[in-house]
Amino acid sequence: TSDKRMPDGSIVGLRIDVSDLKNAQLAAEAANRAKTDFMGVLSHELRTPLTVILGQVRLARNINRLPAPQSLEKAIKAHPETEAEMTPLVDGVWAQIGMMMNMAERSGNHLMTLINEVLDFAKIDSGNLTVDLQPVEVATLVATTVDQLRPLVENKGLSFNIDVQDAQIEADAKRIQQVLINLISNATKFTEEGEVGLRVEALPKVVTFTVYDTGIGIPESEVQQVFEPFHQVDSSASRRHNGTGLGLAISRDIAIAHGGNISLKSEIGKGSAFQLTLPRLDIADVPTGGRASLA
Ligand code: ADP
């Protein structure tokens, strides 16, 4: 923290406050800890679906101990009088195969989502996240997303409330859909009863997408931190919810890449509301005509 005199007589000052150094050191230590925790969390997250897939493949191997469906069908053709007895057997074998495939497929999709999350984060970390901006109708984008997520929300016994005002935005539809999927999946994951909702409001200059829930809520002290990569409110080994802690960090960066942002209001035990704000295309500051007429 001392000034240094150069040969030409000038003074080069380097003043660092000791408490700043201490804070920077604490922040670096916290970031390091979060990364180490993340490696543990990620290994566990990747292993779980992989275990299911391998389990189903092993079961499928054992299925050759059951009569093959084709041979059962042949037997029925040869002895039609056995049909009533044989049909449930054939159906049973097919049903079992179908169930195994469904489980493996679901776990495979989950694994793909996790890996894509890690890859997206690597892109963001190296400044390589690009968005392909096109004019997008909000109502259409929301409708496809909601259709995709309705089973997830409703299978958990939650009501799914949607309220949409249409508008036009300039967006990478896939990326905005990714953000909404992340927010709605989180809302569902952290809510045991009540509702999950999405409200879209077309304000004069922006469109806001509010994803709200009646779930566990987020402590005041964590409201900023949940957007930090790897951060989970509960990252203990015995944590009850799965996830990588990357979803919100990625979502926030996608919002920023669109000239927007994400904010959060939450109350412990009452619920949370995440609000994605994006600029409207139909009022973009074009002086006359052109895009303004898209409204
Ligand atoms: P994760 O993969 O862990 O869900 P996110 O970045 O999406 O990662 O979320 C980070 C953390 O923020 C979660 O682990 C959880 O602790 C908290 N969180 C996110 N959404 C909600 C919500 N709707 N209700 C309560 N907590 C939430």
Side-chain angles (χ1 to χ4, degrees):
T1 70
S2 61
D3 292 342
K4 190 173 176 202
R5 193 170 285 276
M6 301 299 280
D8 68 354
S10 63
I11 294 172
V12 179
L14 178 67
R15 292 197 179 279
I16 298 173
D17 199 313
V18 177
S19 68
D20 279 352
L21 263 183
K22 192 103 200 122
N23 286 342
Q25 193 184 353
L26 285 177
E29 277 169 14
N32 248 338
R33 242 190 337 269
K35 255 189 190 165
T36 316
D37 283 353
F38 170 71
M39 293 316 286
V41 164
L42 182 65
S43 318
H44 173 80
E45 287 295 311
L46 293 176
R47 195 181 256 169
T48 309
L50 204 49
T51 306
V52 174
I53 294 171
L54 290 177
Q56 296 310 307
V57 170
R58 281 185 200 120
L59 267 180
R61 272 245 174 78
N62 285 342
I63 217 156
N64 62 15
R65 304 212 182 111
L66 294 172
Q70 304 91 308
S71 60
L72 284 173
E73 273 162 6
K74 249 192 227 152
I76 293 174
K77 273 215 182 91
H79 303 278
E81 73 282 3
T82 64
E83 184 168 358
E85 198 184 320
M86 299 286 262
T87 305
L89 273 180
V90 180
D91 290 350
V93 174
W94 280 120
Q96 199 161 356
I97 293 173
M99 245 155 27
M100 292 186 317
M101 294 298 117
N102 283 346
M103 274 180 81
E105 187 177 30
R106 230 179 305 136
S107 294
N109 283 333
H110 181 55
L111 203 50
M112 182 70 97
T113 307
L114 288 171
I115 291 169
N116 282 340
E117 240 175 41
V118 176
L119 292 177
D120 274 347
F121 178 69
K123 263 191 207 158
I124 287 169
D125 211 27
S126 60
N128 286 330
L129 180 88
T130 49
V131 287
D132 176 18
L133 300 179
Q134 304 283 342
V136 172
E137 295 294 335
V138 167
T140 317
L141 177 116
V142 167
T144 0
T145 316
V146 164
D147 283 351
Q148 195 179 327
L149 290 168
R150 191 172 288 287
L152 177 82
V153 182
E154 291 182 349
N155 286 345
K156 205 174 167 186
L158 303 168
S159 64
F160 194 19
N161 299 318
I162 312 298
D163 178 7
V164 182
Q165 289 176 353
D166 198 14
Q168 206 167 29
I169 52 175
E170 192 168 49
D172 188 325
K174 280 222 159 65
R175 288 295 187 185
I176 295 305
Q177 209 163 14
Q178 180 182 354
V179 174
L180 295 177
I181 290 173
N182 180 234
L183 296 180
I184 296 170
S185 311
N186 276 349
T188 310
K189 184 160 76 174
F190 296 103
T191 303
E192 290 313 316
E193 57 185 45
E195 63 173 311
V196 163
L198 168 61
R199 189 172 47 246
V200 181
E201 283 173 287
L203 301 176
K205 293 198 167 169
V206 294
V207 181
T208 61
F209 300 73
T210 309
V211 175
Y212 57 92
D213 63 61
T214 53
I216 62 172
I218 295 170
E220 178 82 44
S221 59
E222 303 266 351
V223 162
Q224 291 302 321
Q225 296 184 52
V226 290
F227 292 100
E228 294 302 320
F230 318 124
H231 190 86
Q232 299 185 306
V233 174
D234 176 12
S235 61
S236 65
S238 59
R239 78 207 154 97
R240 288 191 306 129
H241 300 279
N242 52 4
T244 57
L246 291 178
L248 288 176
I250 294 169
S251 297
R252 187 188 52 184
D253 276 63
I254 291 175
I256 292 171
H258 282 82
N261 215 329
I262 299 188
S263 63
L264 163 63
K265 286 207 176 84
S266 188
E267 205 177 322
I268 274 289
K270 288 239 164 99
S272 308
F274 285 85
Q275 188 171 70
L276 162 69
T277 306
L278 296 176
R280 275 182 81 158
L281 172 63
D282 29 3
I283 55 91
D285 48 354
V286 180
T288 48
R291 295 155 75 179
S293 66
L294 289 169

